């Protein structure tokens, strides 16, 4: 299969290093708030990759970290720790905040059928691993201490910028001069932060009471669980220029090797063509979409319609269209399920091949959905239903559990009155009257189905 590698800027043939099991690291959430639909798009991308690899017969050892300390307001190590800020604003302990939002995050993944990676380590459980990592970098002469922390000396890693293609000189020219006297170069980044007294999450370290920087978390945890070099590293495109450059700089300096063979990035979700941000009030959560009457699968379908390397513009018109398509897909599928007819084996093999050609071409999921739609237009057959469920191992659209939503019938008052009268007649065991009223309903274009303690009206076919 082919995957696009940000590192080489091209699609490359992929197979895991050991031929069987894909070792994969995904940058996880910072658990100080609810995940918004943009964040979730990135995890849907991770999930599609995991599902495709599994479909192709590989095993997966996936690690996704939970950042519960050290992610500062700006990715380039400015400002307050996001956890600490949320704790202050909500008047809670940061550990409580982390626990609550981690729980909701996993519930969101579950609603969206995003498989939970095999290992989901928390940063706060790995402080000793990170300290050791930083000590290693100091020993290599690539890190130095200032009044407020330990910084990575970017001049010791001339390849800095290899992932984003941004040269250090360009970064330097564009960099804001930060109020941080101790730093040797504006792009030097914090490995470790000395904790001000009010910082609740702090640990003893060789550098006094302190806490880890964000970038070191991913390097230390990926190395611990996946080794010095693993197969794939994923994240959102915003991580390319800082977070992932920093991970590479740390790892290559310590081990001499780039930690991941493939670096893969999901493009951003926009809202109404612009940035998604809390101040604009356009950062929806899955719970909010549910309150508006959408199923999580409508949102998943919406995301599947765009390739992961293309920007996706979220609008409610777009989500409505996804909802209609998903429901149409489901009801078509039920018709195939109900049909005893067979489909020619050759045709099925051909559809499966087309499907696989798409997913193994750098996860062309929109293309694979196109194959599914074409296939569903074939004469109804249970074989097609079965093959659609096989494809759904990748789509993750819960097609096996699909149930048609009962449409509330807009029944005229006159019809409703007759149906009620008939219901009364049945209760009184007046079968003759009941039959007569059934005929009357039929004349008006309605059929009625009786149940133990009620009835259901539908439009006569
Ligand atoms: P965070 O919790 O802020 O670290 O973000 C979690 C993940 O969501 C990261 O992989 C980000 O790259 C990703 N992300 C943030 N905003 C968006 C967006 N608008 N669209 C897609 N992914 C995003
Ligand atoms: Zn990370």
């Amino acid at each position: 299969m082919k995957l696009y590698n940000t590192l080489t800027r091209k699609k490359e043939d992929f197979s895991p290093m050991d031929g069987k099991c894909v070792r994969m690291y995904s940058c996880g959430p910072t658990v100080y708030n609810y995940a918004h639909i943009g964040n979730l798009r990135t995890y849907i991308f991770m999930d599609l990759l995991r599902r495709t690899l599994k479909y192709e017969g590989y095993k997966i050892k996936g690690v996704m970290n939970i950042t519960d300390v050290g992610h500062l307001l700006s990715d380039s190590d400015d400002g307050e720790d996001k956890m600490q800020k949320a704790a202050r604003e909500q008047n809670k302990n940061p550990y409580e905040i982390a626990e609550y939002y981690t729980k909701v995050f996993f519930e969101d993944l579950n609603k969206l059928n995003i498989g939970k990676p095999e290992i989901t380590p928390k940063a706060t459980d790995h402080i000793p691993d990170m300290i050791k990592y930083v000590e290693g970098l100091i020993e290599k002469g690539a890190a130095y201490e200032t009044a407020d922390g330990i910084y990575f000396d970017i001049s010791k890693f001339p390849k800095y910028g290899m992932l984003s293609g941004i040269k250090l000189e360009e970064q330097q020219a564009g960099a804001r001069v930060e109020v941080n006297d101790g730093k040797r170069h504006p792009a030097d980044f914090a490995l470790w932060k000395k904790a001000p007294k009010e910082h609740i999450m702090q640990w003893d370290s060789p550098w006094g009471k302190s806490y880890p920087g964000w970038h070191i978390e991913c390097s230390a945890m990926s190395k611990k669980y996946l080794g010095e070099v693993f197969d794939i590293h994923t994240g959102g495109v915003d991580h390319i220029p800082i977070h992932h450059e920093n991970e590479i700089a740390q790892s290559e300096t310590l081990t001499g090797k780039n930690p991941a063979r493939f670096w893969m990035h999901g493009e951003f979700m926009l809202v109404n063509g612009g940035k998604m941000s809390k101040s604009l009030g356009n950062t929806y959560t899955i719970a909010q979409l549910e309150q508006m009457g959408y199923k999580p699968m409508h949102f998943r379908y919406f995301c599947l319609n765009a390739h992961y390397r293309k920007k996706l513009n979220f609008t409610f018109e777009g989500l409505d269209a996804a909802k209609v398509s998903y429901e149409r897909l489901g009801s078509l599928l039920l018709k195939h399920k109900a049909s005893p007819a067979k489909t020619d084996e050759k045709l099925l093999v051909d559809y499966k091949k087309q499907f696989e050609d798409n997913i193994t071409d750098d996860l062309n999921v929109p293309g694979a959905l196109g194959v599914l739609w074409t296939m569903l237009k074939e004469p109804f057959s249970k074989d097609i239903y079965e093959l659609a469920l096989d494809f759904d191992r990748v789509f993750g659209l819960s097609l096996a559990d699909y149930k048609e939503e009962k449409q509330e019938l807009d029944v005229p008052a006159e019809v409703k009155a007759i149906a009620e009268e008939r219901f009364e007649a049945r209760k009184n065991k007046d079968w003759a009257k009941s039959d007569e009223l059934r005929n009357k309903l039929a004349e008006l274009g309605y059929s009625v189905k009786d149940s133990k303690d009620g009835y259901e009206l539908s439009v006569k076919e």
Side-chain angles (χ1 to χ4, degrees):
M1 73 188 274
K2 286 198 185 302
L3 296 175
Y4 181 85
N5 190 349
T6 309
L7 199 58
T8 55
R9 292 167 188 77
K10 52 177 193 276
K11 282 190 207 173
E12 291 178 57
D13 281 324
F14 175 83
S15 61
M17 269 150 81
D18 72 0
K20 286 187 219 124
C21 178
V22 180
R23 283 175 297 140
M24 173 168 156
Y25 187 89
S26 303
C27 286
T30 306
V31 283
Y32 69 109
N33 207 332
Y34 296 105
H36 59 58
I37 52 176
N39 302 136
L40 293 167
R41 181 191 186 198
T42 292
Y43 298 110
I44 288 178
F45 149 59
M46 169 193 82
D47 184 57
L48 290 171
L49 176 58
R50 287 171 52 87
R51 285 171 175 271
T52 301
L53 291 165
K54 282 189 193 166
Y55 194 91
E56 290 307 297
Y58 297 122
K59 288 204 163 49
I60 298 186
K61 181 174 181 187
V63 178
M64 179 181 68
N65 62 298
I66 300 294
T67 297
D68 55 358
V69 67
H71 192 168
L72 304 188
L73 287 179
S74 137
D75 285 358
S76 49
D77 305 311
D78 282 332
E80 199 176 357
D81 184 331
K82 290 183 181 183
M83 296 302 306
Q84 177 79 19
K85 179 167 181 273
R88 184 166 50 69
E89 285 172 355
Q90 297 175 33
N91 205 13
K92 288 203 177 107
N93 179 304
Y95 288 96
E96 279 174 329
I97 303 250
E99 195 185 333
Y100 173 72
Y101 289 111
T102 305
K103 184 173 149 277
V104 179
F105 176 72
F106 283 123
E107 285 167 6
D108 283 350
L109 294 197
N110 203 24
K111 283 181 189 171
L112 287 168
N113 271 345
I114 299 172
K116 190 175 170 184
E118 289 63 28
I119 306 172
T120 52
K122 288 198 291 189
T124 50
D125 286 342
H126 294 78
I127 303 295
D129 301 291
M130 295 185 224
I131 291 179
K132 229 172 108 202
Y133 207 114
V134 176
E135 285 177 328
L137 291 173
I138 294 176
E139 269 166 39
K140 297 261 178 194
Y144 59 92
E145 186 168 356
T146 72
D148 77 341
I150 308 295
Y151 284 83
F152 185 89
D153 183 347
I154 223 157
S155 69
K156 298 282 159 39
F157 189 65
K159 284 200 276 183
Y160 193 87
M162 65 200 291
L163 194 62
S164 57
I166 304 172
K167 297 219 168 59
L168 203 51
E169 308 85 69
E170 292 166 25
Q171 274 222 345
Q172 195 162 14
R176 270 183 308 122
V177 180
E178 292 166 28
V179 197
N180 189 335
D181 293 338
K183 266 165 69 164
R184 295 180 191 162
H185 183 287
D188 286 355
F189 58 89
L191 296 165
W192 211 263
K193 281 282 207 183
K194 295 183 184 170
K197 260 205 210 72
E198 68 277 11
H199 207 278
I200 296 165
M201 292 176 145
Q202 50 171 284
W203 292 265
D204 285 323
S205 81
W207 317 287
K209 297 265 185 211
S210 49
Y211 63 98
W214 172 42
H215 319 295
I216 201 73
E217 299 179 4
C218 289
S219 291
M221 291 192 272
S222 61
K223 178 167 170 285
K224 172 165 181 163
Y225 293 105
L226 299 173
E228 290 182 355
V229 182
F230 47 93
D231 293 300
I232 307 178
H233 194 312
T234 73
V237 285
D238 57 326
H239 286 347
I240 299 173
I242 299 175
H243 184 50
H244 289 169
E245 294 287 14
N246 293 357
E247 280 190 44
I248 292 175
Q250 292 165 165
S251 307
E252 279 217 32
T253 303
L254 191 75
T255 70
K257 295 168 205 139
N258 189 311
R261 298 165 56 230
F262 280 70
W263 287 82
M264 294 181 67
H265 295 95
E267 248 300 349
F268 255 38
M269 176 170 273
L270 308 174
V271 173
N272 293 322
K275 203 173 140 54
M276 199 181 295
S277 93
K278 272 225 218 70
S279 56
L280 296 171
N282 62 8
T283 55
Y284 303 102
T285 62
I286 276 298
Q288 281 169 333
L289 296 188
E290 282 180 296
Q291 277 158 16
M292 293 177 198
Y294 298 100
K295 296 179 192 165
M297 284 307 107
H298 297 149
F299 177 69
R300 185 169 171 114
Y301 187 92
F302 176 75
C303 291
L304 261 51
N305 249 324
H307 189 260
Y308 80 91
R309 283 197 291 122
K310 292 242 162 68
K311 287 192 177 57
L312 175 56
N313 187 27
F314 178 85
T315 59
F316 280 99
E317 292 78 54
L319 187 60
D320 283 335
K323 176 176 175 173
V324 169
S325 298
Y326 179 76
E327 296 299 329
R328 200 183 299 146
L329 185 74
S331 65
L332 254 181
L333 209 66
L334 291 183
K335 294 202 169 93
H336 283 283
K337 185 181 182 183
S339 163
K342 303 296 283 170
T343 303
D344 180 27
E345 181 68 24
K346 265 212 227 93
L347 197 63
L348 295 171
V349 169
D350 185 49
Y351 277 122
K352 186 163 165 102
K353 180 172 182 311
Q354 285 182 44
F355 170 79
E356 274 197 270
D357 285 349
N358 276 286
I359 56 164
T360 56
D361 178 14
D362 190 32
L363 314 184
N364 184 359
V365 176
L369 268 182
V371 175
L372 174 65
W373 275 108
T374 312
M375 182 173 91
L376 291 179
K377 285 177 193 140
E378 294 284 348
F380 295 131
S381 112
K382 183 90 186 248
D383 294 335
I384 287 192
Y385 173 73
E386 298 293 346
L387 190 53
L389 294 197
D390 175 66
F391 294 177
D392 200 39
R393 284 162 50 208
V394 172
F395 297 135
L397 287 168
S398 290
L399 296 181
D401 304 325
Y402 182 82
K403 284 191 191 66
E404 218 149 8
E405 272 181 352
K406 286 252 175 304
Q407 296 290 332
E408 278 298 314
L409 263 189
D410 203 6
V411 181
E414 179 204 1
V415 175
K416 183 104 186 117
I418 299 171
E420 281 296 314
E421 199 185 335
R422 182 175 168 275
F423 184 54
E424 284 304 311
R426 279 180 63 79
K427 272 207 260 178
N428 301 330
K429 302 198 169 17
D430 186 348
W431 310 120
K433 187 163 182 198
S434 161
D435 283 349
E436 181 196 325
L437 292 169
R438 175 190 285 278
N439 291 340
K440 217 161 158 185
L441 285 169
E443 276 165 31
L444 293 166
Y446 289 84
S447 28
V448 62
K449 206 163 116 197
D450 296 311
S451 59
K452 209 166 111 255
D453 20 55
Y455 62 88
E456 204 182 300
L457 277 174
S458 57
V459 177
K460 237 170 132 36
E461 300 221 347

